[in-house]
Amino acid sequence: MTGFPRLPEDFVVGVSTASYQIEGAAAEEGKGPSIWDTFCAEPGRIRNGETGEVACDHYHRSKEDVALIRELGVDSYRFSISWPRVMPSGAGHVNAAGLDFYDRLVDDLLAAGVTPAATLYHWDLPQALQDRGGWQVRETAQRMADYATVVAERLGDRVGMWMPVNEPVVATMFGHAVGTHAPGLALGFDALPVAHHLLLGHGLTVQALRAAGVGNIGIASNHAPTWPATGSDADREAAESYDTLVNWLFADPVLCGTYPDELLASLMPGHADGTLAADLEIISTPLDWFGVNYYQPVPVGTPGSASASSPALEGAALPEGLPFEPRVLPDVPTTGLDWAVVPDGLHEILTTFARRYGDRLPPLYITESGCAFHDRPAADGAVRDPQRVAYHRDHLAAVARAIGDGVDVRGYFAWSLLDNFEWALGYEPRFGLVHVDYDTQVRTPKDSYRWFQEHLSARRRSGR
Ligand code: PNW
């Protein structure tokens, strides 16, 4: 196996998961339905009609999973809290069994010497709130802050890192613009208010957590370097508008309190009545750190080319009349999902953040990076995933290079601990360091798990 990149002594190495993707127990012990329960029940939404009803059955196996995390030797575990498990109808009544589950998980992690890192919203909105307009209405942002207060009062003394929202860009674009994720709305540009309300939910939650005495708060925001498909002026312009829409529309308001573009700002709620500025103040409440989820760079050109559209779009039809078109990156290695494997893209997005935001940028974390393949146990029971070992080695090395270039990066969370429910793509793509047999729920550490384990324990022995 190959070497582990040299990283600062106190650099955090972790693994991550999300509630709907691993927990199962979708209707147990008082949990209310989420928009993903609803979405999965609609025919044709999820590959092979799969659902998160059982998933990795983590709700009943969290002790076994914490043991896997402990044995892996990571510093931290990033998980998400299911809002409808804690508040079945999104507001008001609190489900004691739900809070108890996370309370035990946090205690078990601490007993294992692992720092709990909690995401409050990883896309599983209570269905009852969707019925009242979901993220299309401002009210949901306030409900999120109320929910965060309930969680902080219970877990605030023990959770080491907090992320209000995971990937507002994917929730906006997939969930509301093209409709391939729950709640399955294809609103095109009319999805922009959703972005604003998710960001407002983030900001109000940061304030609620601070008011509850909780610190070390960030965000887990997906970012992709955007590359013009060719050197033509038209492609350059197309790439720039895509970049604005998927990267800076989400990072600028959080880090600078502004939208990147006057036209986009003019389409946001509150623009006409002058309340937008006050919202942006809330959205830019200072963070202790900023988390980047990184998967792949995206080449972008003008619409109407012969080249197939980006695999990241999962076959979704884009709204008509867009000024850009995501493309496929030629001649690079790809994952089992045909996602491009480009470690340099991680170095690039980190240095781009440092340059764009300068002194306004808090320390960075990589809150997700990983790759899916169709892993399965060999005859001898081993799960050999040399491509995943190389993926994490090379992406950690890209982080080490960014640190060498002066970017303050404090940690890297591999996506994911376990193979899990990959949203609309179901169970076929396997992102885990641990293989899950969905018939038996048997967990089998892959070679990539062994690789992390070996190097993390060596790092620990040498005092890093
Ligand atoms: C993230 N893209 O989603 C999520 O945070 C995870 O829940 C998910 O399992 C993981 O990445 C792997 O997909 C993304 O198309 C979904 O670029 C799609 C994209 C990126 C991230």
Side-chain angles (χ1 to χ4, degrees):
M1 291 198 205
T2 36
F4 198 83
R6 189 169 268 287
L7 290 155
E9 253 178 50
D10 51 359
F11 188 86
V12 171
V13 177
V15 283
S16 45
T17 63
S19 48
Y20 191 74
Q21 296 181 272
I22 65 165
E23 284 180 3
E28 281 181 49
E29 293 193 333
K31 178 184 165 291
S34 82
I35 57 174
W36 273 94
D37 293 306
T38 308
F39 189 68
C40 291
E42 292 172 19
R45 293 295 202 175
I46 313 293
R47 245 186 230 177
N48 305 319
E50 289 165 339
T51 79
E53 240 173 285
V54 178
C56 307
D57 195 31
H58 170 76
Y59 188 73
H60 298 117
R61 292 166 199 264
S62 67
K63 296 229 182 263
E64 178 185 354
D65 293 338
V66 170
L68 281 166
I69 297 164
R70 186 192 61 228
E71 289 304 307
L72 179 57
V74 285
D75 306 297
S76 184
Y77 172 56
R78 174 179 174 237
F79 60 99
S80 83
I81 294 172
S82 162
W83 184 349
R85 196 178 287 294
V86 172
M87 292 173 117
S89 48
H93 168 67
V94 174
N95 176 35
L99 263 185
D100 288 349
F101 170 72
Y102 297 108
D103 193 86
R104 285 194 303 273
L105 176 65
V106 164
D107 278 347
D108 291 346
L109 288 166
L110 290 173
V114 175
T115 302
T119 310
L120 285 161
Y121 182 65
H122 201 126
W123 308 349
D124 42 359
L125 188 75
Q127 180 61 41
L129 294 185
Q130 186 61 42
D131 296 341
R132 287 190 263 149
W135 291 109
Q136 288 181 272
V137 302
R138 185 184 178 86
E139 182 69 11
T140 301
Q142 188 56 55
R143 294 288 78 79
M144 177 170 172
D146 298 345
Y147 147 66
T149 300
V150 169
V151 175
E153 279 168 0
R154 183 68 177 272
L155 307 178
D157 56 336
R158 285 160 294 148
V159 167
M161 287 175 86
W162 294 88
M163 285 142 280
V165 180
N166 179 70
E167 296 187 351
V169 62
V170 174
T172 303
M173 304 298 176
F174 285 22
H176 300 81
V178 300
T180 49
H181 281 187
L185 301 174
L187 303 171
F189 275 94
D190 292 338
L192 283 172
V194 168
H196 184 73
H197 293 139
L198 280 161
L199 290 164
L200 187 64
H202 158 84
L204 288 169
T205 298
V206 176
Q207 296 188 344
L209 291 173
R210 296 237 190 266
V214 160
N216 211 12
I217 306 168
I219 187 171
S221 192
N222 183 272
H223 292 284
T226 302
W227 295 343
T230 71
S232 76
D233 285 349
D235 281 354
R236 230 189 284 275
E237 247 174 69
E240 203 179 305
S241 44
Y242 184 89
D243 195 29
T244 302
L245 197 61
V246 306
N247 287 314
W248 315 123
L249 174 65
F250 295 89
D252 282 5
V254 169
L255 292 168
C256 308
T258 52
Y259 280 116
D261 176 303
E262 224 358 86
L263 177 68
L264 288 172
S266 74
L267 299 170
M268 291 303 188
H271 179 82
D273 63 16
T275 56
L276 184 59
D279 282 3
L280 284 164
E281 279 284 308
I282 297 167
I283 292 168
S284 58
T285 305
L287 295 179
D288 300 293
W289 51 272
F290 189 99
V292 171
N293 292 1
Y294 171 76
Y295 288 91
Q296 58 175 339
V298 189
V300 175
T302 52
S305 86
S307 129
S309 87
S310 168
L313 286 167
E314 298 170 4
L318 287 176
E320 298 280 309
L322 290 179
F324 49 71
E325 182 182 81
R327 305 265 177 87
V328 173
L329 204 57
D331 308 321
V332 295
T334 53
T335 72
L337 281 175
D338 293 332
W339 292 13
V341 178
V342 187
D344 281 348
L346 178 53
H347 175 269
E348 181 180 324
I349 198 71
L350 293 171
T351 52
T352 300
F353 262 80
R355 217 176 321 111
R356 187 174 179 94
Y357 298 112
D359 291 346
R360 290 171 183 266
L361 187 66
L364 294 170
Y365 281 83
I366 308 307
T367 32
E368 282 180 27
S369 188
C371 52
F373 293 97
H374 308 291
D375 311 299
R376 57 196 163 103
D380 62 359
V383 184
R384 299 193 175 83
D385 58 346
Q387 300 178 91
R388 184 169 292 103
V389 172
Y391 179 98
H392 287 297
R393 178 201 60 202
D394 295 346
H395 285 76
L396 281 163
V399 172
R401 263 191 299 123
I403 295 172
D405 294 338
V407 188
D408 185 2
V409 192
R410 305 282 178 93
Y412 177 99
F413 289 80
W415 182 269
S416 177
L417 170 69
L418 302 171
D419 290 342
N420 60 50
F421 179 69
E422 179 54 24
W423 307 113
L425 304 179
Y427 290 99
E428 198 180 275
R430 293 175 175 271
F431 275 92
L433 304 183
V434 176
H435 180 275
V436 176
D437 179 322
Y438 296 110
D439 294 326
T440 61
Q441 293 296 345
V442 167
R443 276 91 162 119
T444 306
K446 304 180 190 177
D447 282 358
S448 54
Y449 176 101
R450 304 282 175 218
W451 180 80
F452 270 103
Q453 187 177 45
E454 187 181 308
H455 290 286
L456 292 174
S457 75
R459 204 165 161 248
R460 198 155 279 169
R461 275 198 308 278
S462 68
R464 278 107 197 272

PDB file of all heavy atoms in Angstrom, residues 289-318:
ATOM      1  N   TRP A 289     -15.234  28.092  10.847  1.00  0.00           N
ATOM      2  CA  TRP A 289     -14.530  27.419   9.750  1.00  0.00           C
ATOM      3  C   TRP A 289     -15.521  27.231   8.613  1.00  0.00           C
ATOM      4  O   TRP A 289     -16.736  27.391   8.805  1.00  0.00           O
ATOM      5  CB  TRP A 289     -13.950  26.070  10.218  1.00  0.00           C
ATOM      6  CG  TRP A 289     -14.964  25.201  10.912  1.00  0.00           C
ATOM      7  CD1 TRP A 289     -15.276  25.204  12.239  1.00  0.00           C
ATOM      8  CD2 TRP A 289     -15.844  24.243  10.300  1.00  0.00           C
ATOM      9  NE1 TRP A 289     -16.294  24.304  12.489  1.00  0.00           N
ATOM     10  CE2 TRP A 289     -16.645  23.706  11.318  1.00  0.00           C
ATOM     11  CE3 TRP A 289     -16.013  23.793   8.986  1.00  0.00           C
ATOM     12  CZ2 TRP A 289     -17.614  22.733  11.070  1.00  0.00           C
ATOM     13  CZ3 TRP A 289     -16.979  22.826   8.730  1.00  0.00           C
ATOM     14  CH2 TRP A 289     -17.762  22.306   9.780  1.00  0.00           C
ATOM     15  N   PHE A 290     -14.992  26.926   7.449  1.00  0.00           N
ATOM     16  CA  PHE A 290     -15.842  26.719   6.264  1.00  0.00           C
ATOM     17  C   PHE A 290     -15.496  25.353   5.688  1.00  0.00           C
ATOM     18  O   PHE A 290     -14.325  25.052   5.444  1.00  0.00           O
ATOM     19  CB  PHE A 290     -15.564  27.828   5.237  1.00  0.00           C
ATOM     20  CG  PHE A 290     -16.525  27.840   4.075  1.00  0.00           C
ATOM     21  CD1 PHE A 290     -17.607  28.718   4.048  1.00  0.00           C
ATOM     22  CD2 PHE A 290     -16.353  26.973   2.997  1.00  0.00           C
ATOM     23  CE1 PHE A 290     -18.500  28.738   2.973  1.00  0.00           C
ATOM     24  CE2 PHE A 290     -17.245  26.983   1.920  1.00  0.00           C
ATOM     25  CZ  PHE A 290     -18.317  27.870   1.911  1.00  0.00           C
ATOM     26  N   GLY A 291     -16.499  24.506   5.481  1.00  0.00           N
ATOM     27  CA  GLY A 291     -16.266  23.148   4.969  1.00  0.00           C
ATOM     28  C   GLY A 291     -16.585  23.049   3.490  1.00  0.00           C
ATOM     29  O   GLY A 291     -17.647  23.482   3.039  1.00  0.00           O
ATOM     30  N   VAL A 292     -15.656  22.472   2.752  1.00  0.00           N
ATOM     31  CA  VAL A 292     -15.829  22.266   1.312  1.00  0.00           C
ATOM     32  C   VAL A 292     -16.036  20.775   1.051  1.00  0.00           C
ATOM     33  O   VAL A 292     -15.226  19.947   1.498  1.00  0.00           O
ATOM     34  CB  VAL A 292     -14.583  22.757   0.538  1.00  0.00           C
ATOM     35  CG1 VAL A 292     -14.655  22.358  -0.930  1.00  0.00           C
ATOM     36  CG2 VAL A 292     -14.425  24.272   0.680  1.00  0.00           C
ATOM     37  N   ASN A 293     -17.123  20.436   0.366  1.00  0.00           N
ATOM     38  CA  ASN A 293     -17.284  19.071  -0.145  1.00  0.00           C
ATOM     39  C   ASN A 293     -16.770  19.087  -1.576  1.00  0.00           C
ATOM     40  O   ASN A 293     -17.235  19.886  -2.392  1.00  0.00           O
ATOM     41  CB  ASN A 293     -18.755  18.651  -0.156  1.00  0.00           C
ATOM     42  CG  ASN A 293     -19.344  18.495   1.243  1.00  0.00           C
ATOM     43  OD1 ASN A 293     -18.670  18.711   2.257  1.00  0.00           O
ATOM     44  ND2 ASN A 293     -20.609  18.120   1.310  1.00  0.00           N
ATOM     45  N   TYR A 294     -15.827  18.221  -1.869  1.00  0.00           N
ATOM     46  CA  TYR A 294     -15.241  18.233  -3.215  1.00  0.00           C
ATOM     47  C   TYR A 294     -15.345  16.863  -3.872  1.00  0.00           C
ATOM     48  O   TYR A 294     -14.965  15.848  -3.279  1.00  0.00           O
ATOM     49  CB  TYR A 294     -13.756  18.642  -3.160  1.00  0.00           C
ATOM     50  CG  TYR A 294     -13.085  18.447  -4.519  1.00  0.00           C
ATOM     51  CD1 TYR A 294     -13.305  19.343  -5.554  1.00  0.00           C
ATOM     52  CD2 TYR A 294     -12.283  17.329  -4.780  1.00  0.00           C
ATOM     53  CE1 TYR A 294     -12.741  19.151  -6.809  1.00  0.00           C
ATOM     54  CE2 TYR A 294     -11.705  17.119  -6.027  1.00  0.00           C
ATOM     55  CZ  TYR A 294     -11.949  18.041  -7.043  1.00  0.00           C
ATOM     56  OH  TYR A 294     -11.399  17.844  -8.283  1.00  0.00           O
ATOM     57  N   TYR A 295     -15.834  16.846  -5.091  1.00  0.00           N
ATOM     58  CA  TYR A 295     -15.859  15.597  -5.855  1.00  0.00           C
ATOM     59  C   TYR A 295     -15.126  15.703  -7.188  1.00  0.00           C
ATOM     60  O   TYR A 295     -14.257  14.905  -7.481  1.00  0.00           O
ATOM     61  CB  TYR A 295     -17.301  15.100  -6.039  1.00  0.00           C
ATOM     62  CG  TYR A 295     -17.843  14.560  -4.730  1.00  0.00           C
ATOM     63  CD1 TYR A 295     -18.532  15.389  -3.848  1.00  0.00           C
ATOM     64  CD2 TYR A 295     -17.589  13.254  -4.334  1.00  0.00           C
ATOM     65  CE1 TYR A 295     -18.974  14.916  -2.612  1.00  0.00           C
ATOM     66  CE2 TYR A 295     -18.025  12.773  -3.104  1.00  0.00           C
ATOM     67  CZ  TYR A 295     -18.712  13.612  -2.249  1.00  0.00           C
ATOM     68  OH  TYR A 295     -19.119  13.144  -1.034  1.00  0.00           O
ATOM     69  N   GLN A 296     -15.464  16.701  -7.992  1.00  0.00           N
ATOM     70  CA  GLN A 296     -14.827  16.769  -9.309  1.00  0.00           C
ATOM     71  C   GLN A 296     -14.969  18.158  -9.922  1.00  0.00           C
ATOM     72  O   GLN A 296     -15.913  18.884  -9.613  1.00  0.00           O
ATOM     73  CB  GLN A 296     -15.458  15.744 -10.252  1.00  0.00           C
ATOM     74  CG  GLN A 296     -16.966  15.948 -10.408  1.00  0.00           C
ATOM     75  CD  GLN A 296     -17.596  15.018 -11.428  1.00  0.00           C
ATOM     76  OE1 GLN A 296     -16.917  14.487 -12.291  1.00  0.00           O
ATOM     77  NE2 GLN A 296     -18.895  14.820 -11.334  1.00  0.00           N
ATOM     78  N   PRO A 297     -14.033  18.532 -10.807  1.00  0.00           N
ATOM     79  CA  PRO A 297     -14.184  19.781 -11.544  1.00  0.00           C
ATOM     80  C   PRO A 297     -15.209  19.591 -12.665  1.00  0.00           C
ATOM     81  O   PRO A 297     -15.491  18.462 -13.058  1.00  0.00           O
ATOM     82  CB  PRO A 297     -12.798  20.030 -12.133  1.00  0.00           C
ATOM     83  CG  PRO A 297     -12.128  18.713 -12.159  1.00  0.00           C
ATOM     84  CD  PRO A 297     -12.813  17.800 -11.194  1.00  0.00           C
ATOM     85  N   VAL A 298     -15.772  20.677 -13.160  1.00  0.00           N
ATOM     86  CA  VAL A 298     -16.758  20.584 -14.229  1.00  0.00           C
ATOM     87  C   VAL A 298     -16.333  21.455 -15.415  1.00  0.00           C
ATOM     88  O   VAL A 298     -16.193  22.666 -15.270  1.00  0.00           O
ATOM     89  CB  VAL A 298     -18.146  21.089 -13.759  1.00  0.00           C
ATOM     90  CG1 VAL A 298     -19.200  20.770 -14.804  1.00  0.00           C
ATOM     91  CG2 VAL A 298     -18.521  20.483 -12.431  1.00  0.00           C
ATOM     92  N   PRO A 299     -16.133  20.850 -16.579  1.00  0.00           N
ATOM     93  CA  PRO A 299     -15.912  21.660 -17.770  1.00  0.00           C
ATOM     94  C   PRO A 299     -17.261  22.181 -18.270  1.00  0.00           C
ATOM     95  O   PRO A 299     -18.251  21.452 -18.240  1.00  0.00           O
ATOM     96  CB  PRO A 299     -15.307  20.684 -18.778  1.00  0.00           C
ATOM     97  CG  PRO A 299     -15.581  19.316 -18.246  1.00  0.00           C
ATOM     98  CD  PRO A 299     -16.138  19.404 -16.864  1.00  0.00           C
ATOM     99  N   VAL A 300     -17.284  23.416 -18.677  1.00  0.00           N
ATOM    100  CA  VAL A 300     -18.553  24.026 -19.093  1.00  0.00           C
ATOM    101  C   VAL A 300     -18.346  24.773 -20.411  1.00  0.00           C
ATOM    102  O   VAL A 300     -17.339  25.459 -20.595  1.00  0.00           O
ATOM    103  CB  VAL A 300     -19.051  25.010 -18.009  1.00  0.00           C
ATOM    104  CG1 VAL A 300     -20.301  25.746 -18.486  1.00  0.00           C
ATOM    105  CG2 VAL A 300     -19.349  24.272 -16.715  1.00  0.00           C
ATOM    106  N   GLY A 301     -19.302  24.590 -21.319  1.00  0.00           N
ATOM    107  CA  GLY A 301     -19.259  25.315 -22.588  1.00  0.00           C
ATOM    108  C   GLY A 301     -20.616  25.920 -22.896  1.00  0.00           C
ATOM    109  O   GLY A 301     -21.514  25.922 -22.043  1.00  0.00           O
ATOM    110  N   THR A 302     -20.749  26.393 -24.114  1.00  0.00           N
ATOM    111  CA  THR A 302     -22.039  26.945 -24.534  1.00  0.00           C
ATOM    112  C   THR A 302     -22.990  25.788 -24.841  1.00  0.00           C
ATOM    113  O   THR A 302     -22.557  24.674 -25.121  1.00  0.00           O
ATOM    114  CB  THR A 302     -21.874  27.811 -25.800  1.00  0.00           C
ATOM    115  OG1 THR A 302     -21.177  27.024 -26.770  1.00  0.00           O
ATOM    116  CG2 THR A 302     -21.087  29.066 -25.495  1.00  0.00           C
ATOM    117  N   PRO A 303     -24.284  26.033 -24.778  1.00  0.00           N
ATOM    118  CA  PRO A 303     -25.250  24.943 -24.989  1.00  0.00           C
ATOM    119  C   PRO A 303     -25.218  24.392 -26.414  1.00  0.00           C
ATOM    120  O   PRO A 303     -24.762  25.072 -27.336  1.00  0.00           O
ATOM    121  CB  PRO A 303     -26.598  25.606 -24.723  1.00  0.00           C
ATOM    122  CG  PRO A 303     -26.340  26.983 -24.255  1.00  0.00           C
ATOM    123  CD  PRO A 303     -24.919  27.319 -24.470  1.00  0.00           C
ATOM    124  N   GLY A 304     -25.691  23.167 -26.519  1.00  0.00           N
ATOM    125  CA  GLY A 304     -25.923  22.604 -27.843  1.00  0.00           C
ATOM    126  C   GLY A 304     -24.755  21.868 -28.453  1.00  0.00           C
ATOM    127  O   GLY A 304     -24.739  21.598 -29.641  1.00  0.00           O
ATOM    128  N   SER A 305     -23.769  21.523 -27.623  1.00  0.00           N
ATOM    129  CA  SER A 305     -22.644  20.776 -28.190  1.00  0.00           C
ATOM    130  C   SER A 305     -23.033  19.314 -28.374  1.00  0.00           C
ATOM    131  O   SER A 305     -24.046  18.852 -27.856  1.00  0.00           O
ATOM    132  CB  SER A 305     -21.450  20.847 -27.257  1.00  0.00           C
ATOM    133  OG  SER A 305     -21.547  19.823 -26.298  1.00  0.00           O
ATOM    134  N   ALA A 306     -22.188  18.601 -29.103  1.00  0.00           N
ATOM    135  CA  ALA A 306     -22.456  17.180 -29.328  1.00  0.00           C
ATOM    136  C   ALA A 306     -22.104  16.350 -28.095  1.00  0.00           C
ATOM    137  O   ALA A 306     -22.667  15.295 -27.877  1.00  0.00           O
ATOM    138  CB  ALA A 306     -21.651  16.701 -30.532  1.00  0.00           C
ATOM    139  N   SER A 307     -21.186  16.857 -27.264  1.00  0.00           N
ATOM    140  CA  SER A 307     -20.695  16.062 -26.141  1.00  0.00           C
ATOM    141  C   SER A 307     -21.796  15.838 -25.103  1.00  0.00           C
ATOM    142  O   SER A 307     -22.626  16.714 -24.843  1.00  0.00           O
ATOM    143  CB  SER A 307     -19.479  16.773 -25.527  1.00  0.00           C
ATOM    144  OG  SER A 307     -19.600  16.928 -24.141  1.00  0.00           O
ATOM    145  N   ALA A 308     -21.790  14.658 -24.512  1.00  0.00           N
ATOM    146  CA  ALA A 308     -22.834  14.313 -23.550  1.00  0.00           C
ATOM    147  C   ALA A 308     -22.781  15.252 -22.360  1.00  0.00           C
ATOM    148  O   ALA A 308     -21.749  15.840 -22.069  1.00  0.00           O
ATOM    149  CB  ALA A 308     -22.622  12.880 -23.072  1.00  0.00           C
ATOM    150  N   SER A 309     -23.898  15.408 -21.672  1.00  0.00           N
ATOM    151  CA  SER A 309     -23.920  16.305 -20.524  1.00  0.00           C
ATOM    152  C   SER A 309     -23.260  15.624 -19.330  1.00  0.00           C
ATOM    153  O   SER A 309     -22.994  14.440 -19.335  1.00  0.00           O
ATOM    154  CB  SER A 309     -25.330  16.744 -20.200  1.00  0.00           C
ATOM    155  OG  SER A 309     -25.924  15.802 -19.345  1.00  0.00           O
ATOM    156  N   SER A 310     -22.980  16.405 -18.302  1.00  0.00           N
ATOM    157  CA  SER A 310     -22.172  15.946 -17.180  1.00  0.00           C
ATOM    158  C   SER A 310     -22.794  14.743 -16.462  1.00  0.00           C
ATOM    159  O   SER A 310     -23.992  14.740 -16.189  1.00  0.00           O
ATOM    160  CB  SER A 310     -22.011  17.092 -16.201  1.00  0.00           C
ATOM    161  OG  SER A 310     -21.473  16.611 -15.010  1.00  0.00           O
ATOM    162  N   PRO A 311     -21.972  13.741 -16.137  1.00  0.00           N
ATOM    163  CA  PRO A 311     -22.485  12.607 -15.365  1.00  0.00           C
ATOM    164  C   PRO A 311     -23.017  13.052 -14.014  1.00  0.00           C
ATOM    165  O   PRO A 311     -23.900  12.415 -13.447  1.00  0.00           O
ATOM    166  CB  PRO A 311     -21.257  11.710 -15.194  1.00  0.00           C
ATOM    167  CG  PRO A 311     -20.069  12.559 -15.516  1.00  0.00           C
ATOM    168  CD  PRO A 311     -20.538  13.624 -16.433  1.00  0.00           C
ATOM    169  N   ALA A 312     -22.492  14.180 -13.502  1.00  0.00           N
ATOM    170  CA  ALA A 312     -22.953  14.650 -12.195  1.00  0.00           C
ATOM    171  C   ALA A 312     -24.440  15.002 -12.225  1.00  0.00           C
ATOM    172  O   ALA A 312     -25.100  15.022 -11.203  1.00  0.00           O
ATOM    173  CB  ALA A 312     -22.145  15.861 -11.758  1.00  0.00           C
ATOM    174  N   LEU A 313     -24.982  15.253 -13.393  1.00  0.00           N
ATOM    175  CA  LEU A 313     -26.394  15.614 -13.474  1.00  0.00           C
ATOM    176  C   LEU A 313     -27.292  14.391 -13.422  1.00  0.00           C
ATOM    177  O   LEU A 313     -28.514  14.514 -13.369  1.00  0.00           O
ATOM    178  CB  LEU A 313     -26.661  16.400 -14.755  1.00  0.00           C
ATOM    179  CG  LEU A 313     -26.136  17.831 -14.692  1.00  0.00           C
ATOM    180  CD1 LEU A 313     -26.135  18.473 -16.065  1.00  0.00           C
ATOM    181  CD2 LEU A 313     -26.977  18.659 -13.722  1.00  0.00           C
ATOM    182  N   GLU A 314     -26.680  13.220 -13.444  1.00  0.00           N
ATOM    183  CA  GLU A 314     -27.448  11.983 -13.292  1.00  0.00           C
ATOM    184  C   GLU A 314     -28.588  11.919 -14.298  1.00  0.00           C
ATOM    185  O   GLU A 314     -29.701  11.507 -13.983  1.00  0.00           O
ATOM    186  CB  GLU A 314     -27.973  11.869 -11.855  1.00  0.00           C
ATOM    187  CG  GLU A 314     -26.845  11.797 -10.836  1.00  0.00           C
ATOM    188  CD  GLU A 314     -27.311  11.933  -9.382  1.00  0.00           C
ATOM    189  OE1 GLU A 314     -28.523  12.003  -9.150  1.00  0.00           O
ATOM    190  OE2 GLU A 314     -26.437  11.958  -8.501  1.00  0.00           O
ATOM    191  N   GLY A 315     -28.315  12.382 -15.503  1.00  0.00           N
ATOM    192  CA  GLY A 315     -29.294  12.264 -16.573  1.00  0.00           C
ATOM    193  C   GLY A 315     -30.451  13.238 -16.513  1.00  0.00           C
ATOM    194  O   GLY A 315     -31.375  13.155 -17.308  1.00  0.00           O
ATOM    195  N   ALA A 316     -30.388  14.178 -15.567  1.00  0.00           N
ATOM    196  CA  ALA A 316     -31.481  15.124 -15.441  1.00  0.00           C
ATOM    197  C   ALA A 316     -31.520  16.058 -16.643  1.00  0.00           C
ATOM    198  O   ALA A 316     -30.495  16.448 -17.163  1.00  0.00           O
ATOM    199  CB  ALA A 316     -31.318  15.954 -14.173  1.00  0.00           C
ATOM    200  N   ALA A 317     -32.724  16.416 -17.042  1.00  0.00           N
ATOM    201  CA  ALA A 317     -32.869  17.408 -18.101  1.00  0.00           C
ATOM    202  C   ALA A 317     -32.709  18.787 -17.475  1.00  0.00           C
ATOM    203  O   ALA A 317     -33.329  19.098 -16.462  1.00  0.00           O
ATOM    204  CB  ALA A 317     -34.239  17.277 -18.737  1.00  0.00           C
ATOM    205  N   LEU A 318     -31.863  19.607 -18.071  1.00  0.00           N
ATOM    206  CA  LEU A 318     -31.690  20.965 -17.565  1.00  0.00           C
ATOM    207  C   LEU A 318     -32.811  21.842 -18.102  1.00  0.00           C
ATOM    208  O   LEU A 318     -33.374  21.562 -19.159  1.00  0.00           O
ATOM    209  CB  LEU A 318     -30.338  21.515 -18.014  1.00  0.00           C
ATOM    210  CG  LEU A 318     -29.133  20.921 -17.297  1.00  0.00           C
ATOM    211  CD1 LEU A 318     -27.842  21.459 -17.896  1.00  0.00           C
ATOM    212  CD2 LEU A 318     -29.188  21.217 -15.810  1.00  0.00           C
TER     213      LEU A 318
END
